[in-house]
Amino acid sequence: MAFDRGLFEAPATEVAPLLLGGLLEVDGVLLRITEVEAYLGIGQDPGSHAYRRQGPKNSTMFGPPGHLYTYFTYGMHVCSNVVCSPQGQASAVLLRAGEIVDGIEIARMRRATSRTDADLARGPARLTVAMGIGLADDGADLSSSRVRLTLPVAASAFETSQRTGVSGPGGAPEFAWRFFLPGEPSVSPYKAWVPKKR
DNA sequence: CATTAGATCGTCT
DNA sequence: GACGATCTAATGA
């Protein structure tokens, strides 16, 4: 299916399930998306990077839809998102997991610590490494850059849950914006957020 | 299988 | 100064 920019003009909560089963291609490595999470914009979503205001860290989220938003976190990891909603609304879909369907030798090299192929892109930071995506790809147009996204022709059957790893109110049941394909080995087990120990 | 600690740094308070 | 849309290795059952 052709890249339809209009599809990304909707809020992330609507776009997220459409991405399931979609394909992400970077330099010959192909990923089938199996798990995503939606994040909304200012004042709407306590778990979102765009909850408070636009800043250096989240400015790409406020840009045009259909572009890649990559961010650096925990002092060592990079995660990948697809920007949604009209420009300025700042919603995005976090790519949490997927199955490598082509270029798997390359992905294995990049994720040498991975013991099984299902672990290659199981988790947002792992997925980003396996695909060779970095902070330099932040803002890339997903229809014309080295990172390409194509959506499935038909929607897939999916399940939902609360979001993983989101601290505070953003992890509450009313923000059940994790979407995944049931029965996929690459989907990470749901982990409820727990307060740090003292 | 489950739980825990440590790594590591930009951003915000 | 604390914390985070995380991951890995180590330890114990």
Side-chain angles (χ1 to χ4, degrees):
Chain A
M1 169 175 266
F3 186 90
D4 182 355
R5 186 167 305 282
L7 289 177
F8 300 98
E9 296 276 350
T13 44
E14 294 179 25
V15 178
L18 303 178
L19 296 189
L20 294 173
L23 295 175
L24 192 68
E25 179 169 19
V26 184
D27 296 337
V29 178
L30 199 59
L31 176 95
R32 176 172 159 265
I33 300 168
T34 58
E35 180 187 356
V36 298
E37 277 177 5
Y39 291 86
L40 295 187
I42 292 183
Q44 307 174 73
D45 179 2
S48 173
H49 289 169
Y51 182 52
R52 298 187 185 279
R53 68 187 74 84
Q54 185 169 2
K57 159 179 163 183
N58 60 11
S59 63
T60 305
M61 274 187 80
F62 290 79
H67 286 238
L68 188 70
Y69 163 49
T70 58
Y71 66 88
F72 180 69
T73 189
Y74 288 104
M76 67 193 88
H77 294 305
V78 178
C79 298
S80 306
N81 303 250
V82 177
V83 177
C84 299
S85 291
Q87 183 155 2
Q89 292 289 303
S91 80
V93 177
L94 171 67
L95 303 179
R96 283 199 60 87
E99 172 197 9
I100 305 289
V101 293
D102 201 6
I104 196 165
E105 300 294 343
I106 299 173
R108 284 177 183 147
M109 301 273 281
R110 290 172 176 156
R111 296 252 321 118
T113 59
S114 213
R115 297 291 290 147
T116 71
D117 287 344
D119 278 342
L120 288 174
R122 187 186 208 192
R126 292 170 170 181
L127 181 154
T128 301
V129 169
M131 295 305 291
I133 293 173
L135 292 174
D137 297 300
D138 184 46
D141 187 331
L142 291 171
S143 72
S144 61
S145 68
R146 78 186 197 99
V147 185
R148 304 290 182 117
L149 175 66
T150 50
L151 299 191
V153 178
S156 309
F158 62 89
E159 292 181 14
T160 65
S161 80
Q162 292 171 237
R163 295 178 296 194
T164 292
V166 178
S167 60
E174 63 240 58
F175 304 104
W177 296 335
R178 173 175 176 255
F179 303 81
F180 59 97
L181 298 177
E184 292 285 340
S186 59
V187 173
S188 54
Y190 172 68
K191 303 279 189 197
W193 176 79
V194 286
K196 279 185 171 179
K197 288 200 170 172
R198 34 189 237 90

